Amino acid sequence: CEDAAAALIPPRQALDDVPEASVDAALATRIQRGQLAALRDLARPGQAGSALKVIGPDGALLAVVTADGARNWQFARVLS
């Protein structure tokens, strides 16, 4: 079991090719609660289909968001 646990890749590292944005504690709380309005505080995506990792002040991956056709961020996954 220890060998299997050592082989696991942390989610942030597994998505190494996805750009990331760091957020402060207040915004992190809103994102962890799944508040869609909080995503307006992130930089606007360049194109539809773009993905972004949202990183909390402690360096943890909070969420993965994707850009919709109107170039607005939508939650793909929120991690606890």
Side-chain angles (χ1 to χ4, degrees), residues 43-80:
R44 190 172 170 112
Q47 61 185 15
S50 301
L52 182 73
K53 295 182 291 194
V54 181
I55 308 300
D58 63 353
L61 176 62
L62 302 176
V64 177
V65 296
T66 56
D68 64 16
R71 292 183 38 233
N72 295 310
W73 292 120
Q74 302 293 327
F75 287 109
R77 287 283 181 263
V78 177
L79 298 110
S80 57

Side-chain angles (χ1 to χ4, degrees), residues 4-67:
L8 293 177
I9 299 171
R12 184 176 179 183
Q13 184 180 349
L15 299 170
D16 199 36
D17 59 328
V18 177
E20 59 185 43
S22 295
V23 298
D24 64 22
L27 185 54
T29 298
R30 294 172 55 213
I31 287 173
Q32 287 177 306
R33 292 179 179 164
Q35 296 177 1
L36 195 57
L39 300 182
R40 291 187 213 126
D41 291 340
L42 300 174
R44 190 172 170 112
Q47 61 185 15
S50 301
L52 182 73
K53 295 182 291 194
V54 181
I55 308 300
D58 63 353
L61 176 62
L62 302 176
V64 177
V65 296
T66 56

